[in-house]
Amino acid sequence: DTEVTQTPKHLVMGMTNKKSLKCEQHMGHRAMYWYKQKAKKPPELMFVYSYEKLSINESVPSRFSPECPNSSLLNLHLHALQPEDSALYLCASSQAGAYNEQFFGPGTRLTVL
Amino acid sequence: DQQVKQNSPSLSVQEGRISILNCDYTNSMFDYFLWYKKYPAEGPTFLISISSIKDKNEDGRFTVFLNKSAKHLSLHIVPSQPGDSAVYFCAASAGNQGGKLIFGQGTELSVKP
């Protein structure tokens, strides 16, 4: 299995809602990532988990809360988002350590009303 | 400050000819470079990578060239095919940054039959 899956594909939420994005991989990768991509812009790193521990937080607002329950799963919990948080949220995974290509999922298209 | 730059937002090439996509970087600590291809509403797909100890890496129709002194890399696609039409992102990382990728702005390639 060489796939990273993400659910849901699309999500519309109000500013007072709480929702979660899910990501799963079965490639045995021990590093997992969340990226945010706005239209016509490159992906921007949000969080990195290495061996199920948060290793990088790119100064992301606390209304985004990542969680890595096990080596195959990565969640992004959303609460009290703003309309400017509307974007494509991409999950990726790789072998842990440097010099490893990251494999991306198809993304979740999030719209905040 | 944009550490990875793709100065051509778009490129149009005839089918069967060579496509050359360019990327410049400013951070001399970058030592691993990757190219990704992205279709609309999909996640980026890994194409090819190169480490700073090499100046060329080839995989089928795709070749990446790295010029460290100029802080420049390029992706050559030969021969170009209509299915290659997509947005191409250059990305870079430094070995001491835990897998953090910095992406360029992307170049939209259009291969015309």
Side-chain angles (χ1 to χ4, degrees):
Chain A
D1 187 352
T2 58
E3 216 181 19
V4 176
T5 59
Q6 290 186 244
T7 55
K9 284 182 72 74
H10 301 275
L11 178 62
V12 179
M13 61 186 290
M15 288 189 284
T16 58
N17 291 157
K18 282 185 181 182
K19 296 285 184 184
S20 297
L21 308 185
K22 295 186 184 304
C23 174
E24 190 167 2
Q25 58 87 15
H26 294 288
M27 293 179 276
H29 291 164
R30 301 305 297 273
M32 297 185 77
Y33 311 80
W34 280 114
Y35 288 84
K36 174 181 178 179
Q37 186 177 23
K38 302 279 272 185
K40 306 286 188 186
K41 296 288 187 183
E44 291 185 354
L45 183 67
M46 300 174 72
F47 303 103
V48 180
Y49 272 83
S50 182
Y51 294 98
E52 296 88 68
K53 292 195 187 321
L54 184 64
S55 58
I56 296 178
N57 176 340
E58 288 288 293
S59 303
V60 179
S62 60
R63 57 186 184 267
F64 295 91
S65 175
E67 179 197 19
C68 190
N70 59 55
S71 59
S72 301
L73 291 174
L74 185 66
N75 298 321
L76 186 63
H77 302 297
L78 314 173
H79 174 54
L81 294 194
Q82 304 296 310
E84 58 264 29
D85 296 322
S86 299
L88 181 68
Y89 287 84
L90 294 160
C91 173
S93 71
S94 74
Q95 302 287 355
Y99 315 120
N100 294 301
E101 58 267 24
Q102 295 177 21
F103 295 87
F104 285 81
T108 293
R109 174 69 61 189
L110 174 67
T111 302
V112 182
L113 301 176
Chain B
D1 176 32
Q2 221 177 317
Q3 298 184 68
V4 179
K5 300 177 188 177
Q6 293 175 256
N7 292 318
S8 298
S10 62
L11 175 67
S12 183
V13 170
Q14 207 67 31
E15 181 179 6
R17 308 295 288 266
I18 183 170
S19 295
I20 300 176
L21 297 104
N22 293 303
C23 179
D24 296 293
Y25 62 96
T26 57
N27 188 340
S28 56
M29 298 299 292
F30 288 150
D31 56 3
Y32 186 57
F33 304 90
L34 308 91
W35 284 94
Y36 284 85
K37 170 180 175 180
K38 189 177 186 299
Y39 294 117
E42 293 184 13
T45 300
F46 169 73
L47 279 176
I48 192 166
S49 63
I50 188 167
S51 75
S52 60
I53 62 172
K54 293 185 166 185
D55 53 20
K56 177 183 174 181
N57 190 24
E58 196 171 350
D59 184 1
R61 297 187 297 117
F62 302 92
T63 303
V64 56
F65 296 91
L66 175 63
N67 181 334
K68 287 187 291 293
S69 60
K71 294 192 177 69
H72 176 84
L73 62 156
S74 61
L75 175 68
H76 293 210
I77 306 173
V78 183
S80 301
Q81 299 172 354
D84 295 329
S85 297
V87 177
Y88 288 77
F89 288 99
C90 165
S93 72
N96 62 352
Q97 291 191 345
K100 177 178 174 177
L101 286 183
I102 306 295
F103 284 83
Q105 296 290 102
T107 296
E108 185 169 10
L109 173 66
S110 175
V111 180
K112 302 197 181 303

